[in-house]
């Protein structure tokens, strides 16, 4: 009987332990992968915004030169820093959809920068109106750059949303083994309960009822059940004792009758 109970309880423990380990490993694997993607998306958003801010500041400083008509206010642009930020942005992007958009941003920026380098020549030329050139020639290049970087930002945000959704879906996938294990554990517990009640509790009640009936009315103890465990051995012993006790009572009665 001890072995049967140990096997039954042990099987429940094994199922719960294995499902728990699987759930933890699956969640950690999914969490590490998606967290890396989300961190990459956040870094890409920051770098993209930095490129947009650098270029916007440069464009506004050039506008100040046009408005004040003072060439001494002409700003310097750190092209090496911009290229380094652009390279970092390209390295941080994992989405195949967004990656080509970085090249588009670089191309549109290059067109804007090459146009802006002609500003000194335009400013000093008497035949060209600086304001008209700025808004008619340079600003369309800047607008194109802004459109490209906005398109890139939208793609990065879409990828971030998709990765967040995948994280949520992966979380639910990772807890499925746990839910299944809990369900299986409950089922095994109910089966174990049924097994214990059917094979041990009910026989004990019947043995007790048989003993009560024997003590109350002397009715023969006839309860039997199949099995080869300790409970069946106890029942067989009780049956033998009851039969011996009945036989002894008959002998005692016969002796009394003779006297």
């Amino acid at each position: 009987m001890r072995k049967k109970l140990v096997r039954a309880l042990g099987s429940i423990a094994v199922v719960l332990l294995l499902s728990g380990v699987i759930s933890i490993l699956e969640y950690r694997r999914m969490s590490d992968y998606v967290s890396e993607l989300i961190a990459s998306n956040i870094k890409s958003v920051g770098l993209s915004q930095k490129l947009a801010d650098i270029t916007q500041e440069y464009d506004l400083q050039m506008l100040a030169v046009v408005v004040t008509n003072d060439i001494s206010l002409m700003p310097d642009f750190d092209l090496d820093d911009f290229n380094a930020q652009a390279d970092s942005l390209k390295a941080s992007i994992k989405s195949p959809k967004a990656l080509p958009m970085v090249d588009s941003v670089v191309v549109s920026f290059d067109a804007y920068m090459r146009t802006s380098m002609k500003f000194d020549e335009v400013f000093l030329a008497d035949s060209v109106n600086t304001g008209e050139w700025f808004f008619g020639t340079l600003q369309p290049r800047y607008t194109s750059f802004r459109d490209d970087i906005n398109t890139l930002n939208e793609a990065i945000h879409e990828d971030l949303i998709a990765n967040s959704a995948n994280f949520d879906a992966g979380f639910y996938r990772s807890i499925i083994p746990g839910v299944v294990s809990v369900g299986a554990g409950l089922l095994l517990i109910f089966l174990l309960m049924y097994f214990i009640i059917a094979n041990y509790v009910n026989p004990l009640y019947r043995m007790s009822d048989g003993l009560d009936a024997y003590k109350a009315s002397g009715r023969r103890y006839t309860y039997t059940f199949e099995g080869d465990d300790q409970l069946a051995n106890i029942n067989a012993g009780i049956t033998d004792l009851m039969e011996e006790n009945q036989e002894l009572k008959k002998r005692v009665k016969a002796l009394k009758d003779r006297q």
Side-chain angles (χ1 to χ4, degrees):
M1 184 168 65
R2 186 185 296 112
K3 290 182 179 179
K4 292 181 179 179
L5 292 176
V6 169
R7 291 194 191 102
L9 294 174
S11 62
I12 296 176
V14 169
V15 169
L16 294 176
L17 179 62
L18 288 177
S19 61
V21 172
I22 292 173
S23 297
I24 293 173
L25 293 178
E26 176 65 18
Y27 178 76
R28 287 188 61 183
R29 183 192 65 80
M30 176 275 304
S31 178
D32 292 342
Y33 173 72
V34 180
S35 296
E36 182 181 351
L37 292 178
I38 292 176
S40 177
N41 292 144
I42 295 174
K43 180 180 179 181
S44 299
V45 170
L47 290 171
S48 176
Q49 187 60 46
K50 187 172 182 179
L51 293 180
D53 292 342
I54 292 173
T55 309
Q56 182 181 34
E57 182 181 0
Y58 177 72
D59 189 72
L60 291 175
Q61 290 174 348
M62 292 190 65
L63 177 60
V65 175
V66 174
V67 172
T68 60
N69 198 31
D70 186 358
I71 192 66
S72 65
L73 299 178
M74 187 65 185
D76 292 328
F77 190 85
D78 191 345
L79 189 58
D80 292 336
D81 180 60
F82 183 93
N83 290 332
Q85 298 293 337
D87 291 339
S88 297
L89 175 61
K90 192 169 184 178
S92 67
I93 291 179
K94 307 297 183 183
S95 172
K97 177 182 177 182
L99 195 57
M101 297 179 183
V102 181
D103 295 330
S104 298
V105 169
V106 173
V107 170
S108 60
F109 171 79
D110 184 63
Y112 168 76
M113 185 55 60
R114 282 189 286 105
T115 303
S116 70
M117 289 179 179
K118 300 178 182 179
F119 184 79
D120 290 348
E121 179 182 345
V122 171
F123 186 86
L124 297 175
D126 296 332
S127 59
V128 181
N129 184 287
T130 305
E132 291 180 356
W133 177 86
F134 181 85
F135 291 104
T137 302
L138 183 61
Q139 280 303 289
R141 302 286 190 277
Y142 176 73
T143 301
S144 177
F145 166 78
R146 292 289 301 186
D147 291 342
D148 287 340
I149 206 164
N150 287 335
T151 301
L152 173 62
N153 283 333
E154 290 177 1
I156 295 174
H157 279 95
E158 289 176 359
D159 193 44
L160 177 60
I161 293 172
N163 288 330
S164 299
N166 289 336
F167 182 84
D168 293 336
F171 172 75
Y172 288 111
R173 285 197 303 270
S174 67
I175 66 174
I176 286 177
V179 174
V180 172
S181 68
V182 171
L186 291 175
L187 179 61
L188 289 173
I189 289 173
F190 283 119
L191 291 175
L192 179 60
M193 184 184 302
Y194 173 79
F195 172 79
I196 293 175
I197 291 175
N199 293 276
Y200 297 102
V201 177
N202 289 340
L204 285 173
Y205 272 94
R206 292 178 183 177
M207 291 165 64
S208 177
D209 293 340
L211 288 173
D212 292 339
Y214 175 78
K215 289 187 293 184
S217 61
R219 190 172 63 184
R220 182 182 178 84
Y221 184 86
T222 58
Y223 177 63
T224 59
F225 60 90
E226 296 180 357
D228 58 354
D229 55 10
Q230 289 80 3
L231 193 60
N233 187 42
I234 292 172
N235 183 67
I238 292 175
T239 301
D240 293 340
L241 289 174
M242 293 301 101
E243 291 178 353
E244 291 176 1
N245 192 42
Q246 286 181 339
E247 184 65 27
L248 181 60
K249 284 182 177 180
K250 289 179 181 179
R251 292 179 181 179
V252 171
K253 183 179 180 182
L255 290 173
K256 286 182 179 179
D257 292 339
R258 289 176 184 176
Q259 294 175 356

